[in-house]
Amino acid sequence: MTAISTLFASPLSVINVGAQMFAQDVEAQNQKVTHLDWRPPGGGNPEVIAALDVLSRTDVAERIAVANAKAVERIVNSQPILTGYGQAIDVVPGMTKKTILHAGPPIEFERMAGAMKGAVTGALVFEGLAKNVDEAYDLAASGEITFSPCHEHDSVGSMAGVTSASMFMHVVENRPYGNHSYTNLSEQLAKILRMGANDQSVIDRLNWMRDVFGPILRDAMISAKEIDLRMMLAQALHMGDEAHNRNNAGTTLLIQALAPHILDSDFSTKDKQDVFNFVASSDYFSGPTWMAVSKAAMDAAHNIEDSTIVTTMCRNGVDFGIRVSGIGGNTWFTGPAQVVEGPLFAGFTKADRGLDIGDSAITETFGIGGFAMACAPAIVPLVGGTVSEAIEYSRSMRQITTDTNPNITIPILDFAGIATGIDVVKVEQTGILPVINTAIAHKDAGIGMIGAGITAPPLETFHKATIALAQRF
């Protein structure tokens, strides 16, 4: 009897590497099999593998390790403080009356997704630059409006991210490093501009936010002086938030801190009641706040020579873009925006979905949101999946990050810190992509949010960054 015949005549114990279908075939034969989830580094791309060889050289790897340790130190030691609210024209660097900031990497109006075009045209009507949406569309396409990514103005914006001169912004100071970040106020979760809606009800709400909501918050913060957002964020995660799509605790904590100062303001009782009712209409009031926190921390880690840490992940509904600390500046590595998989609201189908959009992935870049879903089992019905999968997301993100952040911890994982410092090299070596949980906007302008779910960046953004990093060495 040959050796191979003897092998198949006895019980098998198989280790399968690669395609899982082979393990399933062995299991179908009632044999013991262990599947190893492995994929070639760099997705098997020869150019990327060559770049990884450069980055793994001893001298280069040592320089990267030192730089990444410095970057993570700056992320962990960041202490974002809410110092005020002000109109974009007064606080955002580079803002003008004819500037429209948007989410994601740079994009021209003609290429924008439906939701972003809807938000742009609505903002132009809100600013009084156009009488109606049709006129606004012509103006947006005329070349008279300056379009620029929020991220290139120390800012971030939810979903379409459209920010115009009159909108009120959070002003967040990163106390140890002196940098600032900005983001506009939540419109809550109705038919809203950031989701691409732009009818008169949307404009009316924006007018009220400009004339009442923003000024009340501004005056409240003049009285409060400052709010420690890092401490508040850590507490919110311990209370069941992940601070991207679930913000029940964070919103409660933030409005609790602001409430005495709102009540002491000179506005009418009705205006104050309207503000409290508006905040109570949705838990998303604090969502933009945590985006500004994350932006402040990640900007502090940007522009560190030799670092392979991702400091920005964002999308505009057409392109997904990342920035890397060691490349610095406004160098973007882009790939196609991805589909978001998750539950849709009644009446909508997969054909209605727009592609991934928004700057809110700055939360995952920092280590909350999808990275912290183990804190928030109640988010599962919104984005899909199971509680065990939510916990596994938080565990698996440790494989592609440099360290953990001891200031913001996850109770169910023995109070381990959130995974911090996405490393381009580790993403390439493991094939594990950062997980992002996010809302889903309709593909067409004027409709708004239709669901929520899970997505990830396109791998090619990391391929491009890896090759560019290797070229620097």
Side-chain angles (χ1 to χ4, degrees), residues 148-421:
S148 188
C150 293
H151 270 291
E152 296 186 5
H153 296 261
D154 301 339
S155 303
V156 278
S158 298
M159 298 302 287
V162 166
T163 302
S164 60
S166 299
M167 294 180 181
F168 269 81
M169 311 289 286
H170 297 68
V171 179
V172 173
E173 178 186 350
N174 191 358
R175 192 56 53 81
Y177 303 111
N179 63 296
H180 290 77
S181 63
Y182 311 90
T183 192
N184 46 16
L185 302 177
S186 171
E187 302 165 79
Q188 302 299 71
L189 288 175
K191 191 175 184 181
I192 51 179
L193 188 81
R194 73 170 185 268
M195 297 287 182
N198 54 13
D199 65 16
Q200 190 58 47
S201 69
V202 174
I203 306 304
D204 290 344
R205 186 187 303 110
L206 291 173
N207 288 335
W208 175 80
M209 292 174 70
R210 178 196 61 206
D211 298 338
V212 178
F213 190 37
I216 284 182
L217 293 178
R218 176 197 61 206
D219 289 3
M221 279 306 302
I222 291 172
S223 172
K225 295 184 173 58
E226 62 180 48
I227 295 174
D228 185 338
L229 294 177
R230 186 180 73 178
M231 183 179 297
M232 188 176 286
L233 173 62
Q235 186 177 357
L237 264 63
H238 286 189
M239 295 169 66
D241 284 358
E242 42 71 71
H244 184 165
N245 282 288
R246 181 174 171 82
N247 294 285
N248 301 55
T251 288
T252 301
L253 293 169
L254 182 58
I255 196 62
Q256 175 181 282
L258 289 167
H261 307 284
I262 292 173
L263 292 173
D264 283 344
S265 71
D266 293 332
F267 287 80
S268 70
T269 298
K270 181 182 184 307
D271 283 342
K272 295 172 188 177
Q273 289 175 331
D274 287 344
V275 165
F276 287 124
N277 287 333
F278 185 67
V279 172
S281 70
S282 161
D283 68 2
Y284 196 68
F285 170 62
S286 68
T289 312
W290 312 130
M291 290 173 56
V293 166
S294 303
K295 171 67 171 172
M298 298 316 299
D299 274 3
H302 198 50
N303 292 313
I304 295 176
E305 188 175 3
D306 299 338
S307 174
T308 58
I309 285 180
V310 176
T311 50
T312 305
M313 295 193 299
C314 59
R315 47 273 205 265
N316 55 34
V318 177
D319 303 316
F320 194 113
I322 68 171
R323 297 191 299 180
V324 179
S325 178
I327 303 294
N330 290 322
T331 300
W332 293 94
F333 303 102
T334 62
Q338 304 293 288
V339 170
V340 180
E341 297 291 349
L344 299 174
F345 299 158
F348 295 103
T349 69
K350 290 183 176 181
D352 297 318
R353 296 177 300 184
L355 297 177
D356 192 19
I357 189 172
D359 286 337
S360 59
I362 192 66
T363 56
E364 281 84 6
T365 317
F366 176 59
I368 53 178
F371 280 46
M373 278 197 286
C375 289
I379 199 175
V380 168
L382 176 66
V383 301
T386 65
V387 172
S388 61
E389 287 173 338
I391 294 171
E392 184 54 32
Y393 284 135
S394 296
R395 285 199 179 105
S396 65
M397 292 301 99
R398 297 179 186 178
Q399 297 182 56
I400 59 172
T401 48
T402 305
D403 209 337
T404 57
N405 186 338
N407 298 312
I408 305 171
T409 59
I410 301 177
I412 201 170
L413 298 182
D414 294 326
F415 289 91
I418 56 174
T420 300

